[in-house]
Amino acid sequence: MNSSGSYQIASIANDVQGEIKRLKAQVNLFWDNEWRHYQEHGLANATTIIELGSGPGFLIEKLLNHIPQANVTGLEIDPLLANYAKDYLREKNQKRWQVHEGNIMQTGMEDNSYDVAITRLVLEHLPEPIKAVQEIYRILKPGGKLMVVDNDFEMHIMTYPPVPGLRELYDAYCQARFAEGGNPKIGRELPILLKDGGFSNVQFDIVNAHSSLLGDEMFFQSEGVGIPYKLMKDGFLSSKDLAKVSVGWRKMVQDKHHAIVRQLCLAVGEKPVE
Ligand SMILES: C[S@@+](CC[C@H](N)C(=O)[O-])C[C@H]1O[C@@H](n2cnc3c(N)ncnc32)[C@H](O)[C@@H]1O
């Protein structure tokens, strides 16, 4: 087990720039639906927002564009990604943001500081996610909300027609992440984690993406081959299984009625006003 968790951009995929591009596509893939859910939970009214595990800054960019009154803080453990986010947001002429290098387990932020905290595709990589939830509870204002988005790899990409070998690929991915101390099936546990962390009014939603509404390209870009190739190199996936998926995927998209569906879990909880 790896005490720093199961996401290091330098080793999770075959190349860092490719993985950054994939993260951007993954934000775009879900954004319309995700934003609808965030709005339902009051995000559009927030003035102080923190994203923990903010990576290259693509979600921060969306939040700044959609919430004109908000000031958005990013917290990111990897200096390469924290610096990437700073350069990216500056290049995009964004204002009202700051990005700090830091650890979600011990943020160094003051008590009772934020209206909303978002952590997206991060808890699934942590050996002790409850400690992150407790730390976020500390830095939220009373009445503030935590919005957590994570995968549950029992229900990753589903296709019509089915792609042979896709389940084996996800099983290999899960094995690799579990071995590093992550939990790629954390999605189903999110409401319990939030309650255990002291949050009230906990709610749970599924955020969907469907190829017939978004087009295939968005899915191609947000899946990519970087992680599957790395799983093969690291011995979690056989080259035969990888080839099976790639042949099956090509066949699937040629079907006139093909469909690609992916879902993320979203849990929201409120810090009680005492
Ligand atoms: C899969 S990426 C998601 C990035 C971004 N939230 C998004 O949705 O595109 C996970 C991010 O969490 C960061 N991370 C992992 N462990 C962390 C920790 N203990 N504290 C802060 N960030 C962490 C990683 O470096 C990476 O940038």
Side-chain angles (χ1 to χ4, degrees), residues 4 7-9 19 22-23 26-27 51-56 58-59 75-78 81 102-105 119-122 125-126:
S4 58
Y7 190 97
Q8 275 94 46
I9 195 143
E19 176 60 5
R22 191 189 70 80
L23 290 176
Q26 197 172 235
V27 168
E51 191 204 353
L52 302 109
S54 48
F58 304 131
L59 190 76
L75 184 93
E76 169 54 48
I77 201 164
D78 186 330
L81 289 173
N103 193 335
I104 193 171
M105 312 301 271
T119 187
R120 184 179 187 277
L121 309 176
V122 178
H125 293 294
L126 302 178

Side-chain angles (χ1 to χ4, degrees), residues 108-121:
M109 303 297 175
E110 301 214 338
D111 292 357
N112 308 321
S113 299
Y114 297 96
D115 296 324
V116 173
I118 300 181
T119 187
R120 184 179 187 277
L121 309 176

Side-chain angles (χ1 to χ4, degrees), residues 75-254:
L75 184 93
E76 169 54 48
I77 201 164
D78 186 330
L80 183 147
L81 289 173
N83 288 329
Y84 184 101
K86 288 179 202 171
D87 292 343
Y88 179 79
L89 294 168
R90 256 185 241 119
E91 254 173 44
K92 297 274 167 187
N93 282 323
Q94 293 284 4
K95 304 207 164 45
R96 302 175 283 116
W97 60 271
Q98 44 285 312
V99 172
H100 302 290
E101 214 182 294
N103 193 335
I104 193 171
M105 312 301 271
Q106 208 171 5
T107 60
M109 303 297 175
E110 301 214 338
D111 292 357
N112 308 321
S113 299
Y114 297 96
D115 296 324
V116 173
I118 300 181
T119 187
R120 184 179 187 277
L121 309 176
V122 178
L123 293 194
E124 66 189 73
H125 293 294
L126 302 178
E128 293 182 291
I130 185 65
K131 294 204 170 146
V133 171
Q134 288 163 340
E135 171 66 356
I136 295 171
Y137 182 96
R138 182 187 69 73
I139 65 172
L140 275 173
K141 293 178 187 169
K145 286 188 175 171
L146 167 58
M147 306 185 181
V148 182
V149 176
D150 271 298
N151 282 294
D152 189 312
F153 265 79
E154 208 67 50
M155 54 169 208
H156 203 65
I157 292 266
M158 297 180 285
T159 65
Y160 175 80
V163 172
L166 209 51
R167 190 62 251 166
E168 285 81 352
L169 169 61
Y170 296 144
D171 287 346
Y173 176 84
C174 288
Q175 254 187 21
R177 298 294 82 79
F178 278 127
E180 292 164 343
N183 178 2
K185 299 186 182 181
I186 202 172
R188 70 196 72 174
E189 295 176 37
L190 293 178
I192 300 150
L193 260 177
L194 265 57
K195 285 187 180 180
D196 287 352
F199 287 90
S200 60
N201 296 331
V202 173
Q203 296 181 54
F204 185 63
D205 295 305
I206 300 295
V207 185
N208 294 296
H210 196 291
S211 61
S212 72
L213 309 176
L214 298 167
D216 292 340
E217 193 53 37
M218 303 265 276
F219 282 89
F220 299 160
Q221 288 181 17
S222 67
E223 292 308 305
V225 293
I227 293 179
Y229 189 73
K230 188 70 188 349
L231 289 171
M232 187 191 74
K233 257 173 71 180
D234 292 348
F236 288 101
L237 183 69
S238 70
S239 54
K240 213 168 124 206
D241 278 340
L242 184 56
K244 192 156 87 178
V245 174
S246 103
V247 171
W249 186 271
R250 253 177 280 145
K251 266 198 187 151
M252 180 271 294
V253 294
Q254 281 162 6

